[in-house]
């Protein structure tokens, strides 16, 4: 291929972009992956992977200067010394909050695959059918069975640890042995099962942290360091760098170009096809054009929407995919920061090994089976039990020998969990291009007009009260339910904006993730989601991407693209 002509262009290098690169390159296409940020090489560029808190000038906490520079990142855990520079800067890439929206972005090769929480759950049968049954938004154009074999496919390659629990609400997958529950979690799980007669479950978390090595991919199993967000030199968790990118590069068919900000997809209105993309080089501010037969948008949900909005504006004022009037609408997240904590007695002689990267999961039980609530859909809990450490409050012990003795012994056992609730798609929850605010490169920033609605507010009451009631019922002490500070975006599970559907009049994409108005443009990141379920979405992005890539190659061979 010449320097600017390829079979396929992929915009973005995160979880879905990495999968697109692997699948398309393995199938023989010459592929260009464009990433707006810097390159990060596996192992070599994980500069903080072996550091501890005391290795940082301010012990890995945010400085006052950092808080001033990054007013959005300071709202939650992303702002610290160890990952500073990994999350996108609000200074260079601002956005406008018509309503509060906490947008945490990873602008570098690998994207948020280096920073994600790794919880990996399949959607269930009902998740794909609920919209149609309840008259919400539009019907998904696919069903669970359309993705089942692709879930198998991506789980085998990625390396997901988990247990096969035989529950319809949380379908089983292809798993390595689970990360074990600790002694307290096992005990509480047994108590909950007995108290609720098997209707509620505390399960091993299903995580993209391997418990067995994959030598064929040069990946070693998890070392229980719990430093995943610093990059894993062992390849113990799934990321673009450790898993999909090496395979794609080994084919000789992939070119990766960092510092490439895709401004728009180029569109031939006569052929009704995309011809490639236009980029701005983030280092020299020059504009370049790359041509291709197909384009995969995987820039993360809201960035993919932004690219579409900037494309084909000479044909559609709202951009490519806007003919349905749904582009930029139906934005979703998982609402959370609500749950309960408690102390656990009777295990002072027990401890646990290592620093696990995953804890337990309580799958959805509300509006499931015979349970009916005054809201739609449901939620699940993610949590863990642990013993407090040296930094617990021991001020009353003073200093000297008493202090030394106190910090050498573990504290009390506690258990806690946060609920993740499904957010319904709603046309009024939207993003759009700002007419006044631009980023460092002169591109229009996104404006966020998204909020949780009455359905989510009703659900949050159960999300808090249910877990507190559960802990009290099984005999835990000092139970405290909480409903903390949450705004859309905080879940870092942004979805929607270019939803799949059955009708080009009401959706942006068809059943194969193709833009209705440009069938050689595929969107397989979070933008494509028609609803949000209550489980973490990344595994579904992987399956959708692998499925769409397979279809795209077949259609290319048939001459349909």
């Amino acid at each position: 291929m010449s320097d600017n002509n390829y079979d396929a262009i992929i915009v973005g290098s995160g979880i879905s972009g990495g999968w697109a690169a692997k699948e398309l390159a393995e199938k023989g296409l010459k592929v260009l992956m464009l990433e707006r940020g810097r390159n990060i090489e596996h192992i070599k560029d994980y500069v903080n992977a072996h550091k501890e808190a005391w290795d940082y000038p301010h012990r890995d906490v945010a400085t006052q200067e950092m808080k001033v520079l990054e007013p959005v990142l300071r709202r939650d855990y992303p702002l610290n010394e160890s990952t500073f520079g990994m999350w996108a800067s609000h200074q260079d890439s601002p956005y406008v909050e018509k309503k509060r929206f906490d947008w945490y972005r990873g602008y570098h090769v690998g994207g948020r695959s280096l920073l994600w929480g790794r919880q990996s759950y399949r959607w269930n049968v009902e998740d794909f059918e609920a919209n149609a049954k309840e008259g919400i938004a539009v019907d998904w154009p696919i069903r669970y069975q359309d993705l089942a074999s692709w879930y198998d496919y991506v789980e085998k390659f990625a390396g997901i640890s988990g247990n096969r629990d035989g529950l319809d609400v949380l379908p089983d997958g292809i798993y390595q042995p689970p990360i074990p529950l600790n002694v307290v979690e096992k005990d509480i799980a047994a108590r909950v099962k007995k108290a609720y007669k098997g209707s509620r479950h505390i399960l091993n978390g299903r995580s993209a942290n391997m418990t067995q090595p994959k030598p064929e991919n040069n990946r070693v199993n998890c070392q229980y360091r719990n430093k995943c967000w610093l990059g894993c030199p062992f390849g113990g968790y799934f990321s673009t760098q450790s898993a999909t990118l090496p395979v794609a590069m080994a084919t000789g068919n992939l070119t990766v170009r960092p510092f490439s900000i895709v401004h728009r997809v180029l569109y031939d209105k006569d052929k009704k096809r995309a011809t490639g993309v236009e980029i701005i080089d983030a280092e020299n501010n020059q504009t370049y054009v790359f041509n291709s037969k197909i384009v995969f948008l995987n820039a993360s949900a809201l960035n993919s929407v932004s690219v579409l909005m900037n494309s084909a504006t000479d044909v559609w004022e709202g951009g490519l995919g806007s003919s349905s009037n749904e582009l930029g609408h139906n934005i979703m997240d998982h609402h959370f920061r609500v749950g309960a904590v408690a102390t656990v007695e009777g295990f002072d002689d027990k401890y646990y090994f290592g620093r696990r990267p995953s804890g337990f999961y309580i799958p959805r039980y509300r509006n499931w089976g015979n349970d009916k609530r005054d809201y739609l859909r449901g939620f699940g809990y993610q949590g863990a039990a642990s013993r407090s450490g040296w930094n617990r409050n021991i001020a009353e012990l003073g200093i000297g020998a008493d202090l030394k003795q106190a910090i050498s012994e573990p504290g009390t056992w506690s258990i806690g969990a946060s609920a993740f609730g499904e957010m319904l798609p709603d046309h009024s929850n939207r993003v759009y291009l700002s007419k006044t605010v631009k980023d460092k490169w002169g591109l229009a920033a996104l404006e966020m007009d998204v909020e949780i609605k009455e359905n989510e507010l009703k659900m949050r009451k159960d999300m808090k009260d249910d877990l507190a009631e559960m802990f009290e019922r099984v005999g835990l002490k000092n139970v405290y339910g909480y409903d903390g500070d949450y705004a859309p975006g905080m879940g870092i599970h942004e979805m929607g904006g270019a939803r799949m559907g059955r009708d080009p009049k009401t959706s942006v994409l068809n059943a194969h993730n193709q833009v209705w108005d440009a069938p050689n443009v595929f969107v397989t990141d979070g933008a494509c989601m028609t609803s949000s379920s209550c489980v973490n979405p990344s595994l579904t992005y992987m399956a959708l991407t692998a499925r769409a890539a397979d279809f795209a190659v077949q259609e290319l061979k048939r001459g349909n693209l």
Side-chain angles (χ1 to χ4, degrees):
M1 291 288 170
S2 65
D3 287 346
N4 66 339
N5 292 292
Y6 296 85
D7 294 321
I9 290 174
I10 300 167
V11 181
S13 61
I15 285 175
S16 62
W19 267 102
K22 171 187 176 294
E23 295 303 301
L24 296 173
E26 280 190 312
K27 290 174 169 60
L29 272 60
K30 295 298 182 181
V31 181
L32 173 64
M33 175 188 279
L34 298 169
E35 167 55 51
R36 65 177 294 149
R38 65 188 174 100
N39 189 29
I40 293 180
E41 289 190 30
H42 186 44
I43 302 176
K44 181 176 80 73
D45 290 334
Y46 302 155
V47 294
N48 291 332
H50 297 291
K51 289 184 179 179
E52 300 294 343
W54 51 81
D55 294 316
Y56 300 96
H58 303 93
R59 302 301 183 261
D60 200 23
V61 299
T63 65
Q64 294 304 309
E65 181 183 13
M66 289 162 61
K67 292 176 181 178
V68 171
L69 288 173
E70 302 300 342
V72 175
L73 293 180
R74 69 176 295 178
R75 297 173 186 171
D76 206 355
Y77 73 90
L79 193 60
N80 52 59
E81 288 182 291
S82 61
T83 60
F84 193 64
M86 291 288 284
W87 297 98
S89 170
H90 193 72
Q91 300 296 313
D92 293 342
S93 303
Y95 63 96
V96 181
E97 297 175 272
K98 183 172 182 180
K99 297 185 178 75
R100 179 181 166 183
F101 192 98
D102 295 8
W103 194 17
Y104 303 132
R105 301 155 286 172
Y107 291 167
H108 49 256
V109 171
R112 290 180 299 193
S113 79
L114 291 174
L115 299 160
W116 68 309
R118 305 168 308 285
Q119 292 295 291
S120 301
Y121 303 96
R122 295 187 179 203
W123 280 34
N124 60 47
V125 171
E126 181 70 19
D127 286 327
F128 292 95
E129 299 177 355
N131 275 7
K133 289 180 178 179
E134 298 164 355
I136 298 295
V138 297
D139 186 18
W140 274 90
I142 60 173
R143 292 294 185 258
Y144 176 79
Q145 284 306 316
D146 295 308
L147 272 194
S149 63
W150 293 106
Y151 277 132
D152 288 351
Y153 179 74
V154 299
E155 286 165 345
K156 287 177 185 176
F157 178 82
I160 310 297
S161 58
N163 194 55
R164 296 176 64 85
D165 299 296
L167 302 175
D168 291 341
V169 73
L170 201 69
D172 292 331
I174 308 298
Y175 301 134
Q176 294 187 354
I179 296 170
L181 300 179
N182 62 40
V183 63
V184 167
E185 292 164 350
K186 289 178 181 177
D187 181 77
I188 303 304
R191 295 193 216 177
V192 167
K193 183 177 181 179
K194 181 179 180 181
Y196 290 91
K197 300 179 180 179
S199 64
R200 298 189 191 180
H201 309 270
I202 294 182
L203 310 176
N204 301 77
R206 298 175 181 177
S207 179
N209 290 83
M210 302 192 308
T211 54
Q212 295 175 332
K214 292 177 70 71
E216 69 275 17
N217 296 127
N218 296 314
R219 296 177 62 195
V220 179
N221 50 288
C222 177
Q223 302 296 296
Y224 281 34
R225 301 165 71 240
N226 198 23
K227 294 179 178 290
C228 306
W229 59 94
L230 304 179
C232 182
F234 306 94
Y237 72 85
F238 174 88
S239 68
T240 296
Q241 273 84 344
S242 70
T244 48
L245 188 58
V247 173
M249 292 299 293
T251 67
N253 291 328
L254 177 66
T255 300
V256 179
R257 192 184 197 279
F259 296 113
S260 302
I261 303 171
V262 175
H263 175 214
R264 60 184 176 134
V265 174
L266 301 174
Y267 181 75
D268 186 323
K269 61 184 177 182
D270 295 322
K271 296 180 180 179
K272 297 183 179 179
R273 296 289 189 274
T275 61
V277 301
E278 179 182 279
I279 75 159
I280 297 172
D281 188 295
E283 293 183 299
N284 64 23
N285 289 328
Q286 297 297 306
T287 298
Y288 301 92
V289 169
F290 296 96
N291 304 310
S292 65
K293 299 172 184 175
I294 59 175
V295 175
F296 267 67
L297 288 182
N298 300 98
S300 81
L302 304 187
N303 281 317
S304 290
V305 167
S306 178
V307 171
L308 289 171
M309 287 178 169
N310 280 306
S311 305
T313 52
D314 58 331
V315 182
W316 300 279
E317 183 180 358
L320 181 60
S322 67
S323 60
S324 63
N325 194 34
E326 294 299 337
L327 181 64
H329 293 269
N330 311 293
I331 304 300
M332 300 166 285
D333 184 29
H334 286 140
H335 60 108
F336 77 127
R337 286 200 155 204
V338 56
V341 295
T343 56
V344 186
E345 298 177 341
F347 293 89
D348 289 348
D349 61 337
K350 305 294 183 183
Y351 204 67
Y352 41 83
F353 170 79
R355 292 177 282 186
R356 299 174 307 168
S358 180
F360 64 76
Y361 187 69
I362 300 175
R364 173 184 168 184
Y365 52 84
R366 287 300 184 203
N367 289 319
W368 193 262
N370 294 324
D371 183 80
K372 302 298 178 187
R373 312 300 292 174
D374 63 347
Y375 54 84
L376 299 175
R377 316 293 168 92
F379 52 88
Y381 293 100
Q382 298 177 29
S386 63
R387 298 192 75 167
S388 54
W390 63 269
N391 57 349
R392 62 191 183 275
N393 183 11
I394 50 174
E396 71 279 3
L397 297 180
I399 59 175
D402 289 340
L403 174 62
K404 185 175 181 180
Q405 177 65 26
I407 65 175
S408 69
E409 297 176 355
T412 57
W413 278 95
S414 63
I415 188 169
S418 179
F420 285 74
E422 179 163 359
M423 184 174 175
L424 293 180
D426 189 299
H427 183 80
S428 69
N429 279 331
R430 66 182 188 126
V431 299
Y432 50 91
L433 297 177
S434 174
K435 297 184 184 302
T436 57
V437 178
K438 298 184 184 299
D439 67 12
K440 178 181 177 181
W441 298 273
L443 300 179
L446 278 179
E447 293 204 23
M448 314 299 195
D449 187 3
V450 183
E451 64 183 355
I452 57 174
K453 308 288 188 180
E454 182 181 3
N455 196 74
E456 289 80 45
L457 293 171
K458 287 181 178 179
M459 187 187 297
R460 290 180 76 82
K461 186 176 187 303
D462 274 0
M463 291 161 74
K464 172 185 173 181
D465 294 345
D466 279 8
L467 191 59
E469 186 272 339
M470 205 181 309
F471 284 166
E472 289 173 347
R473 188 165 173 175
V474 299
L476 305 188
K477 305 298 183 183
N478 303 313
V479 176
Y480 172 72
Y482 64 89
D483 187 344
D485 175 39
Y486 169 77
M490 291 188 82
I492 321 184
H493 293 169
E494 63 269 21
M495 291 172 269
R499 70 182 179 195
M500 298 171 70
R502 298 178 181 272
D503 187 341
K505 294 179 181 179
T506 58
S507 58
V508 179
L509 311 173
N510 68 12
H512 292 285
N513 297 82
Q514 297 167 281
V515 176
W516 287 107
D517 298 321
N520 63 337
V521 178
F522 295 79
V523 184
T524 66
D525 59 15
C528 77
M529 303 297 271
T530 310
S531 61
S532 66
S533 179
C534 68
V535 299
N536 302 54
S538 294
L539 186 70
T540 299
Y541 302 164
M542 296 186 206
L544 286 168
T545 302
R547 176 177 178 267
D550 183 69
F551 176 81
V553 172
Q554 292 180 39
E555 287 293 278
L556 272 178
K557 291 178 179 177
R558 295 179 185 127
N560 293 333
L561 298 180

